[in-house]
Amino acid sequence: MPFKIVEGDITKLETDAIVNAANNTLLGGGGVDGAIHQAAGPDLLKECINLHGCETGDAKITDAYNLPSKKVIHTVGPIWRGGTNNEPELLKSCYEKSLNLAKENNLESIAFPLISAGIYGYPKDKALEIASETIQDFIKENDMDVYLVIYNHSSFHLNKNLKENLEEYIKENLNKPDYLEAASFQREPNLQAVRKKIEFEEYEIDDELKKKIQNRGESFSEMLLRKIDESGLTDPECYKKANIDRRLFSKIKNNSDYSPSKETVLALALALELSIDETNELLEKAGYSLKSNKLSDIIIRYFIENDIFNIFTINEALFYYDQKLLA
Ligand code: APR
């Protein structure tokens, strides 16, 4: 999973690099800065002194000393002053400069804290949006595992509108009779009825239904490959949109006996922007289904029904509700 939101203490992560939300002096401070210096030991400060500070929005790299990671990338986020002092651009630059520095140093994994979202007062939902968008743009073009580390769950804020709409939808649909089963029940008799009519040559059925009958016998991977083909996406476009790494995708594509997790099937269905019905059909072929007594399935149904297929947006919502992330 090239981009993952995790909860924890960044100083404990064994990624190639961890990013420090520093200040312009690079001489340590509170928050994550203090925690990183504390865990790395005094040699980190000695190296930082020789860097002679860092501009806001810029990034510099040092060794990690007693930390489990190999490198520390120090970046200085903007102090929030209402949002009209170039804060979004400077914050975006922190992520871009840090990611490019990791790439220049041939690092394969990097972990970020939510830069500026603590002492520097950046509104957490806005900080998350910039972090998520900038990381997504980078991993579209680069193979690197990127983690966004949330120190305490309470500091994780969803977009206000999204949160209200989701709460409403969950209240209306969680643990309601499984409308999907009813739908598949609906689907079944139609096909039986149609099959009967076919025998008596009495039918005029539309292409959609004809295609459904033809495709009923296909396996999970056959349906997946057909849907990728119909979507016009290349394989890399598909697995990057699904936030799946190349190796896993080729395993799914080349080994028809491989059974992917439900989260991976859903990630692929979202990447292909399948309807609820097609999503459930793809799930059924892999041995799963969307359940109305599962909060994560209700959350995913909300996004599909609202034509929101961005897996990172959906993962933020799943993370917010303490659910397993997709892919
Ligand atoms: N692991 C992961 N995230 C952490 C940790 C940790 N050990 N400690 C704090 N955080 C989170 C905070 O919860 C916040 O969401 O890091 C995010 C950034 O918060 P700060 O560390 O306060 O950084 P920032 O808001 O960018 O302010 C930078 O604070 O520490 C000083 O010297 C630093 O002056 C600079 C300012």
Side-chain angles (χ1 to χ4, degrees):
M1 194 189 281
F3 173 30
K4 196 165 184 179
I5 301 174
V6 295
E7 191 171 356
D9 177 349
I10 201 167
T11 64
K12 304 276 190 286
L13 292 189
E14 296 179 18
T15 44
D16 284 356
I18 63 168
V19 175
N20 179 22
N23 58 53
N24 296 112
T25 68
L26 292 189
L27 300 180
V32 70
D33 195 4
I36 287 174
H37 276 274
Q38 170 84 29
D43 291 339
L44 177 60
L45 180 57
K46 282 190 196 126
E47 187 174 355
C48 284
I49 288 169
N50 295 327
L51 293 178
H52 305 299
C54 179
E55 291 298 312
T56 300
D58 201 358
K60 292 188 177 180
I61 193 166
T62 65
D63 281 336
Y65 303 100
N66 305 331
L67 285 160
S69 58
K70 291 179 191 151
K71 295 288 183 186
V72 180
I73 291 177
H74 307 263
T75 190
V76 182
I79 296 172
W80 178 257
R81 293 193 173 88
T84 53
N85 296 275
N86 219 16
E87 294 97 321
E89 294 73 18
L90 286 167
L91 185 56
K92 183 177 176 63
S93 169
C94 287
Y95 289 95
E96 285 173 340
K97 291 277 176 76
S98 301
L99 287 162
N100 289 325
L101 204 47
K103 183 178 173 184
E104 286 155 23
N105 286 269
N106 303 313
L107 302 177
E108 292 178 359
S109 58
I110 183 172
F112 285 95
L114 207 48
I115 298 164
S116 284
I119 295 164
Y120 278 4
Y122 213 106
K124 296 185 186 340
D125 59 336
K126 291 183 175 22
L128 173 68
E129 213 167 309
I130 289 177
S132 183
E133 280 168 9
T134 313
I135 292 166
Q136 286 177 55
D137 289 345
F138 180 83
I139 59 173
K140 266 188 205 132
E141 310 301 330
N142 300 278
D143 277 345
M144 190 183 288
D145 287 341
V146 184
Y147 297 83
L148 186 60
V149 186
I150 303 301
Y151 192 45
N152 41 33
H153 210 274
S154 59
S155 74
F156 189 83
H157 292 209
L158 266 192
N159 168 292
K160 193 165 165 297
N161 264 350
L162 170 60
K163 185 165 167 284
E164 283 163 9
N165 295 339
L166 253 178
E167 301 279 355
E168 189 57 40
Y169 186 86
I170 290 167
K171 214 165 56 200
E172 273 167 28
N173 292 282
L174 186 58
N175 297 323
K176 289 286 180 308
D178 204 334
Y179 91 116
L180 279 168
E181 266 163 23
S184 61
F185 179 72
Q186 282 308 318
R187 209 170 46 229
E188 211 42 52
N190 285 349
L191 294 177
Q192 279 157 1
V194 166
R195 233 179 252 121
K196 259 210 182 58
K197 283 188 173 182
I198 284 174
E199 281 153 33
F200 299 102
E201 297 288 319
E202 283 172 14
Y203 73 101
E204 268 306 311
I205 57 167
D206 62 27
D207 291 345
E208 190 55 33
L209 206 44
K210 207 181 285 176
K211 228 165 61 174
K212 261 195 182 149
I213 296 168
Q214 280 152 2
N215 297 330
R216 281 196 65 70
E218 64 186 353
S219 68
F220 163 75
S221 44
E222 284 164 343
M223 180 177 174
L224 175 67
L225 298 182
R226 174 171 61 83
K227 283 294 174 189
I228 293 173
D229 201 30
E230 288 170 6
S231 72
L233 290 175
T234 61
D235 285 356
E237 286 167 342
C238 180
Y239 63 72
K240 283 188 179 279
K241 247 186 107 177
N243 195 29
I244 286 173
D245 68 31
R246 192 170 10 91
R247 294 172 297 273
L248 174 57
F249 183 81
S250 54
K251 212 189 283 182
I252 293 170
K253 187 171 175 186
N254 303 323
N255 173 0
S256 56
D257 299 332
Y258 177 76
S259 51
S261 70
K262 180 174 179 180
E263 288 74 25
T264 297
V265 175
L266 280 168
L268 288 162
L270 289 162
L272 294 165
E273 303 192 5
L274 300 187
S275 67
I276 279 280
D277 225 8
E278 291 171 317
T279 298
N280 217 37
E281 203 174 329
L282 188 66
L283 281 166
E284 279 168 7
K285 290 183 186 294
Y288 306 110
S289 68
L290 286 175
K291 292 275 170 233
S292 66
N293 60 357
K294 267 200 81 182
L295 178 56
S296 53
D297 287 358
I298 294 292
I299 291 168
I300 289 157
R301 258 173 50 188
Y302 166 81
F303 284 103
I304 296 175
E305 286 176 8
N306 288 278
D307 292 333
I308 303 171
F309 297 101
N310 183 308
I311 192 153
F312 304 101
T313 307
I314 298 170
N315 269 345
E316 285 165 22
L318 291 168
F319 181 85
Y320 179 77
Y321 284 97
D322 261 332
Q323 300 301 303
K324 208 171 167 194
L325 304 189
L326 294 180

